[in-house]
Amino acid sequence: MLAIDLESAKRQGLVGEQSDGYLGTVRQSPEAAELARSVNQQRRQSYQDLAKRNGVSVDSVATLAGRKLVDRAPAGEYVRNAAGQWQRK
């Protein structure tokens, strides 16, 4: 079991959303890396299921999800911008 949940990690600036649909680590720590790995594994499975059901590529599903996740991120959380830099929203 992870010691920190996703929402807490986002509020603390440990992890953030990326336009590729996956969670990234803003501040490197074993806890943040493990959380990102776990969440991304679950997301990858969901994206694969959606892609298969809709006859599209996994990358297209992930990219669409990424745009939505970045857009929906509340003020104060980190998102990775187009230049690949982390910024507070």
Side-chain angles (χ1 to χ4, degrees):
M1 182 166 184
L2 297 172
I4 191 168
D5 66 85
L6 178 57
E7 295 310 313
S8 295
K10 284 182 175 182
R11 281 192 305 273
Q12 292 176 33
L14 298 174
V15 297
E17 295 296 347
Q18 305 178 124
S19 61
D20 66 359
Y22 296 99
L23 196 64
T25 54
V26 178
R27 290 189 306 188
Q28 297 299 317
S29 76
E31 192 172 52
E34 177 57 25
L35 177 64
R37 186 201 62 72
S38 177
V39 168
N40 288 339
Q41 184 177 26
Q42 293 170 19
R43 287 183 180 182
R44 192 173 303 110
Q45 185 60 54
S46 293
Y47 298 160
Q48 288 172 339
D49 294 345
L50 281 167
K52 186 174 182 180
R53 278 199 309 265
N54 292 291
V56 297
S57 72
V58 174
D59 286 343
S60 66
V61 172
T63 299
L64 179 60
R67 274 188 260 151
K68 289 180 179 182
L69 289 164
V70 167
D71 288 346
R72 292 179 185 161
E77 288 186 3
Y78 281 93
V79 295
R80 193 180 296 262
N81 64 26
Q85 302 297 315
W86 288 109
Q87 65 183 45
R88 274 200 193 268
K89 197 162 179 202

